[in-house]
Protein backbone atom coordinates (compact mmCIF):
# COMPACT_ATOMS: atom_id res chain seq x y z
CA UNK A 1 0.00 0.00 0.00
CA UNK A 2 1.05 3.59 -0.74
CA UNK A 3 1.60 5.88 2.27
CA UNK A 4 -0.95 8.73 2.49
CA UNK A 5 1.95 11.07 3.30
CA UNK A 6 2.81 11.12 -0.42
CA UNK A 7 -0.39 13.08 -1.05
CA UNK A 8 1.18 16.19 0.52
CA UNK A 9 4.65 15.75 -0.96
CA UNK A 10 6.25 16.53 -4.29
CA UNK A 11 5.13 13.09 -5.44
CA UNK A 12 1.45 13.90 -5.04
CA UNK A 13 0.73 13.49 -8.84
CA UNK A 14 2.19 10.00 -8.70
CA UNK A 15 0.18 9.25 -5.57
CA UNK A 16 -3.02 10.39 -7.29
CA UNK A 17 -2.22 8.26 -10.33
CA UNK A 18 -1.69 5.24 -8.11
CA UNK A 19 -5.05 5.80 -6.40
CA UNK A 20 -6.73 5.94 -9.82
CA UNK A 21 -5.22 2.59 -10.73
CA UNK A 22 -6.33 1.23 -7.36
CA UNK A 23 -9.88 2.62 -7.24
CA UNK A 24 -10.60 4.77 -10.29
CA UNK A 25 -11.33 4.47 -14.00
CA UNK A 26 -9.91 5.67 -17.28
CA UNK A 27 -12.48 8.49 -17.27
CA UNK A 28 -11.11 9.65 -13.91
CA UNK A 29 -7.63 9.79 -15.41
CA UNK A 30 -8.77 11.79 -18.41
CA UNK A 31 -10.48 14.30 -16.11
CA UNK A 32 -7.14 14.98 -14.34
CA UNK A 33 -4.68 14.14 -17.10
CA UNK A 34 -3.20 17.66 -17.12
CA UNK A 35 -1.98 17.25 -13.52
CA UNK A 36 -0.94 13.60 -13.76
CA UNK A 37 2.02 11.79 -15.28
CA UNK A 38 1.46 10.59 -18.87
CA UNK A 39 0.60 6.94 -19.52
CA UNK A 40 1.99 4.52 -22.04
CA UNK A 41 -0.36 2.57 -24.30
CA UNK A 42 0.07 -0.52 -22.10
CA UNK A 43 -0.79 1.49 -18.99
CA UNK A 44 -3.84 2.97 -20.72
CA UNK A 45 -5.08 -0.49 -21.69
CA UNK A 46 -4.46 -1.73 -18.15
CA UNK A 47 -6.56 1.12 -16.75
CA UNK A 48 -9.23 0.46 -19.36
CA UNK A 49 -9.38 -3.19 -18.24
CA UNK A 50 -9.88 -2.06 -14.66
CA UNK A 51 -12.55 0.37 -15.83
CA UNK A 52 -14.48 -2.52 -17.41
CA UNK A 53 -14.22 -4.36 -14.09
CA UNK A 54 -15.71 -1.35 -12.29
CA UNK A 55 -18.62 -1.25 -14.76
CA UNK A 56 -19.14 -5.02 -14.45
CA UNK A 57 -19.58 -4.63 -10.69
CA UNK A 58 -22.63 -2.44 -11.39
CA UNK A 59 -24.20 -4.09 -14.45
CA UNK A 60 -23.62 -7.49 -16.04
CA UNK A 61 -24.72 -6.55 -19.55
CA UNK A 62 -22.75 -3.46 -20.59
CA UNK A 63 -23.78 -1.77 -23.85
CA UNK A 64 -21.05 -1.07 -26.37
CA UNK A 65 -22.02 2.61 -26.36
CA UNK A 66 -21.23 2.90 -22.64
CA UNK A 67 -17.90 1.12 -23.05
CA UNK A 68 -16.87 3.26 -26.01
CA UNK A 69 -17.62 6.42 -24.08
CA UNK A 70 -15.97 5.37 -20.80
CA UNK A 71 -12.88 3.90 -22.45
CA UNK A 72 -12.54 6.57 -25.14
CA UNK A 73 -12.17 4.11 -27.98
CA UNK A 74 -12.81 5.00 -31.61
CA UNK A 75 -14.70 1.97 -32.89
CA UNK A 76 -16.20 -1.41 -31.95
CA UNK A 77 -13.19 -3.30 -33.33
CA UNK A 78 -10.87 -1.64 -30.83
CA UNK A 79 -13.40 -2.32 -28.06
CA UNK A 80 -13.71 -6.01 -28.89
CA UNK A 81 -9.93 -6.40 -29.09
CA UNK A 82 -9.59 -4.78 -25.68
CA UNK A 83 -12.23 -7.08 -24.15
CA UNK A 84 -10.55 -10.14 -25.67
CA UNK A 85 -7.24 -9.04 -24.13
CA UNK A 86 -8.94 -8.69 -20.75
CA UNK A 87 -10.42 -12.18 -21.05
CA UNK A 88 -7.02 -13.70 -21.90
CA UNK A 89 -5.51 -11.85 -18.94
CA UNK A 90 -8.21 -13.44 -16.73
CA UNK A 91 -9.44 -9.99 -15.72
CA UNK A 92 -13.00 -10.93 -16.63
CA UNK A 93 -15.00 -13.70 -18.27
CA UNK A 94 -17.96 -13.24 -20.48
CA UNK A 95 -19.10 -13.04 -24.09
CA UNK A 96 -19.49 -10.38 -26.76
CA UNK A 97 -23.06 -10.15 -28.05
CA UNK A 98 -22.45 -8.52 -31.43
CA UNK A 99 -26.09 -8.70 -32.46
CA UNK A 100 -27.28 -6.72 -29.42
CA UNK A 101 -24.06 -4.72 -29.19
CA UNK A 102 -23.24 -5.49 -25.56
CA UNK A 103 -20.76 -7.25 -23.32
CA UNK A 104 -22.25 -9.97 -21.09
CA UNK A 105 -20.04 -10.44 -18.03
CA UNK A 106 -20.02 -13.74 -16.11
CA UNK A 107 -17.08 -13.01 -13.80
CA UNK A 108 -14.65 -10.21 -13.05
CA UNK A 109 -11.83 -9.65 -10.57
CA UNK A 110 -12.30 -7.37 -7.56
CA UNK A 111 -10.95 -3.86 -7.20
CA UNK A 112 -9.29 -2.38 -4.15
CA UNK A 113 -11.54 -0.90 -1.46
CA UNK A 114 -11.36 2.64 -0.12
CA UNK A 115 -11.40 3.12 3.64
CA UNK A 116 -14.59 5.20 3.43
CA UNK A 117 -16.33 2.24 1.79
CA UNK A 118 -15.70 -0.09 4.74
CA UNK A 119 -18.77 1.12 6.67
CA UNK A 120 -21.01 0.48 3.65
CA UNK A 121 -19.52 -2.98 3.19
CA UNK A 122 -19.97 -3.74 6.89
CA UNK A 123 -23.60 -2.65 6.76
CA UNK A 124 -24.21 -4.77 3.66
CA UNK A 125 -22.66 -7.81 5.31
CA UNK A 126 -24.77 -7.28 8.44
CA UNK A 127 -27.92 -7.11 6.34
CA UNK A 128 -26.82 -10.24 4.54
CA UNK A 129 -26.26 -12.02 7.89
CA UNK A 130 -29.69 -10.94 9.11
CA UNK A 131 -31.22 -12.25 5.90
CA UNK A 132 -29.42 -15.57 6.38
CA UNK A 133 -30.65 -15.80 9.98
CA UNK A 134 -34.22 -15.12 8.84
CA UNK A 135 -33.97 -17.82 6.18
CA UNK A 136 -32.43 -20.24 8.70
CA UNK A 137 -35.22 -19.53 11.18
CA UNK A 138 -37.80 -20.19 8.49
CA UNK A 139 -36.13 -23.48 7.57
CA UNK A 140 -36.00 -24.58 11.22
CA UNK A 141 -39.70 -23.77 11.59
CA UNK A 142 -40.53 -25.81 8.51
CA UNK A 143 -38.43 -28.71 9.81
CA UNK A 144 -40.26 -28.54 13.16
CA UNK A 145 -43.62 -28.63 11.40
CA UNK A 146 -42.49 -31.53 9.23
CA UNK A 147 -41.32 -33.50 12.29
CA UNK A 148 -44.59 -32.79 14.11
CA UNK A 149 -46.59 -33.95 11.09
CA UNK A 150 -44.42 -37.06 10.88
CA UNK A 151 -45.05 -37.87 14.56
CA UNK A 152 -48.80 -37.41 14.09
CA UNK A 153 -48.80 -39.72 11.09
CA UNK A 154 -46.75 -42.30 13.00
CA UNK A 155 -49.15 -42.19 15.96
CA UNK A 156 -52.13 -42.57 13.60
CA UNK A 157 -50.42 -45.50 11.89
CA UNK A 158 -49.79 -47.22 15.23
CA UNK A 159 -53.40 -46.64 16.29
CA UNK A 160 -54.73 -48.16 13.06
CA UNK A 161 -52.38 -51.14 13.37
CA UNK A 162 -53.54 -51.69 16.95
CA UNK A 163 -57.19 -51.58 15.91
CA UNK A 164 -56.54 -54.01 13.07
CA UNK A 165 -54.77 -56.40 15.46
CA UNK A 166 -57.68 -56.28 17.92
CA UNK A 167 -60.14 -56.86 15.10
CA UNK A 168 -58.15 -59.87 13.93
CA UNK A 169 -58.21 -61.30 17.46
CA UNK A 170 -61.99 -60.79 17.68
CA UNK A 171 -62.54 -62.49 14.33
CA UNK A 172 -60.30 -65.38 15.35
CA UNK A 173 -62.18 -65.93 18.64
CA UNK A 174 -65.58 -65.71 16.92
CA UNK A 175 -64.51 -68.17 14.23
CA UNK A 176 -63.23 -70.65 16.83
CA UNK A 177 -66.52 -70.45 18.77
CA UNK A 178 -68.58 -71.03 15.64
CA UNK A 179 -66.42 -74.01 14.68
CA UNK A 180 -66.82 -75.52 18.16
CA UNK A 181 -70.62 -75.11 17.99
CA UNK A 182 -70.92 -76.89 14.64
CA UNK A 183 -68.78 -79.86 15.81
CA UNK A 184 -71.33 -81.19 18.44
CA UNK A 185 -72.42 -84.97 18.48
CA UNK A 186 -75.38 -85.46 16.04
CA UNK A 187 -76.97 -88.23 18.26
CA UNK A 188 -76.95 -85.87 21.23
CA UNK A 189 -78.55 -83.21 19.12
CA UNK A 190 -81.35 -85.62 18.04
CA UNK A 191 -81.91 -86.69 21.66
CA UNK A 192 -82.34 -83.10 22.66
CA UNK A 193 -84.93 -82.68 19.92
CA UNK A 194 -86.88 -85.79 21.09
CA UNK A 195 -86.97 -84.79 24.72
CA UNK A 196 -89.79 -82.38 25.58
CA UNK A 197 -88.80 -78.97 26.50
CA UNK A 198 -88.80 -78.21 30.20
CA UNK A 199 -92.17 -77.08 31.49
CA UNK A 200 -94.22 -78.94 28.86
CA UNK A 201 -97.73 -80.01 30.11
CA UNK A 202 -97.64 -83.74 30.88
CA UNK A 203 -101.37 -84.05 30.24
CA UNK A 204 -100.91 -82.89 26.67
CA UNK A 205 -98.28 -85.53 26.25
CA UNK A 206 -100.52 -88.29 27.72
CA UNK A 207 -103.46 -87.18 25.59
CA UNK A 208 -101.41 -87.49 22.51
CA UNK A 209 -100.39 -90.99 23.58
CA UNK A 210 -104.02 -92.02 24.24
CA UNK A 211 -105.17 -90.71 20.93
CA UNK A 212 -102.45 -92.62 19.22
CA UNK A 213 -103.50 -95.88 21.00
CA UNK A 214 -107.15 -95.28 20.19
CA UNK A 215 -106.44 -94.85 16.56
CA UNK A 216 -104.50 -98.11 16.53
CA UNK A 217 -107.38 -100.00 18.22
CA UNK A 218 -109.99 -98.65 15.86
CA UNK A 219 -107.92 -99.70 12.99
CA UNK A 220 -107.87 -103.26 14.25
CA UNK A 221 -111.65 -103.30 14.78
CA UNK A 222 -112.36 -102.03 11.33
CA UNK A 223 -110.18 -104.69 9.86
CA UNK A 224 -112.08 -107.54 11.66
CA UNK A 225 -115.48 -106.35 10.69
CA UNK A 226 -114.51 -106.46 7.09
Amino acid sequence: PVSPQLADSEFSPVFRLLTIFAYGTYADYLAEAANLPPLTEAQKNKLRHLSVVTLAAKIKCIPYSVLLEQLQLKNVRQLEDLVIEAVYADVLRGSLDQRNQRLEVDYSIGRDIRREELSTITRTLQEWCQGCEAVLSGIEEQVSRANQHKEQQLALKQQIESEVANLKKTIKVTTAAAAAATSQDPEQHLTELREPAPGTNQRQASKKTSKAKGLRGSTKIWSKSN
Side-chain angles (χ1 to χ4, degrees):
V2 181
S3 174
Q5 296 176 356
L6 292 175
D8 300 327
S9 68
E10 57 180 332
F11 301 104
S12 60
V14 177
F15 174 79
R16 176 56 186 160
L17 182 61
L18 289 176
T19 57
I20 290 176
F21 269 88
Y23 316 117
T25 63
Y26 188 70
D28 296 333
Y29 170 78
L30 293 178
E32 305 179 37
N35 301 321
L36 298 175
L39 298 178
T40 64
E41 288 299 320
Q43 291 171 339
K44 289 180 181 179
N45 287 338
K46 178 63 175 181
L47 189 54
R48 286 184 175 117
H49 292 168
L50 296 175
S51 300
V52 176
V53 171
T54 299
L55 289 172
K58 300 176 182 178
I59 52 177
K60 295 302 180 183
C61 293
I62 311 172
Y64 278 6
S65 59
V66 175
L67 291 169
L68 288 172
E69 180 183 358
Q70 293 292 321
L71 305 179
Q72 289 295 299
L73 295 173
K74 296 179 180 180
N75 51 56
V76 174
R77 176 62 182 272
Q78 290 182 346
L79 173 62
E80 291 180 344
D81 290 343
L82 179 73
V83 171
I84 292 172
E85 289 177 3
V87 171
Y88 278 112
D90 204 23
V91 174
L92 59 87
R93 299 172 193 163
S95 59
L96 293 168
D97 187 353
Q98 295 178 335
R99 174 178 295 181
N100 296 314
Q101 293 288 289
R102 64 186 184 183
L103 169 63
E104 297 180 354
V105 180
D106 298 327
Y107 160 82
S108 63
I109 63 174
R111 299 291 304 272
D112 291 338
I113 300 171
R114 292 184 175 94
R115 290 183 178 273
E116 55 268 23
E117 295 176 349
L118 292 177
S119 58
T120 303
I121 295 174
T122 301
R123 183 172 62 254
T124 302
L125 291 175
Q126 289 176 348
E127 293 176 354
W128 179 77
C129 290
Q130 291 175 357
C132 291
E133 290 177 355
V135 172
L136 181 60
S137 178
I139 293 175
E140 290 177 350
E141 183 178 357
Q142 292 179 2
V143 170
S144 178
R145 291 180 180 177
N147 290 335
Q148 184 178 3
H149 179 71
K150 181 180 178 181
E151 292 176 357
Q152 292 176 352
Q153 293 298 319
L154 182 60
L156 179 61
K157 179 182 179 181
Q158 292 176 350
Q159 180 181 357
I160 293 174
E161 290 177 351
S162 177
E163 292 178 356
V164 170
N166 293 334
L167 183 60
K168 287 181 178 180
K169 290 180 181 179
T170 303
I171 294 174
K172 185 176 181 180
V173 171
T174 304
T175 304
T182 54
S183 62
Q184 291 180 353
D185 188 1
E187 294 297 332
Q188 181 180 357
H189 183 64
L190 291 175
T191 303
E192 291 177 354
L193 291 177
R194 293 192 188 100
E195 293 179 355
T200 304
N201 194 337
Q202 296 295 331
R203 293 182 179 180
Q204 294 178 356
S206 60
K207 286 182 180 181
K208 290 181 181 179
T209 304
S210 301
K211 289 181 179 180
K213 290 180 179 180
L215 288 174
R216 291 171 185 169
S218 60
T219 301
K220 291 179 180 180
I221 295 171
W222 182 78
S223 297
K224 288 180 180 182
S225 61
N226 288 341

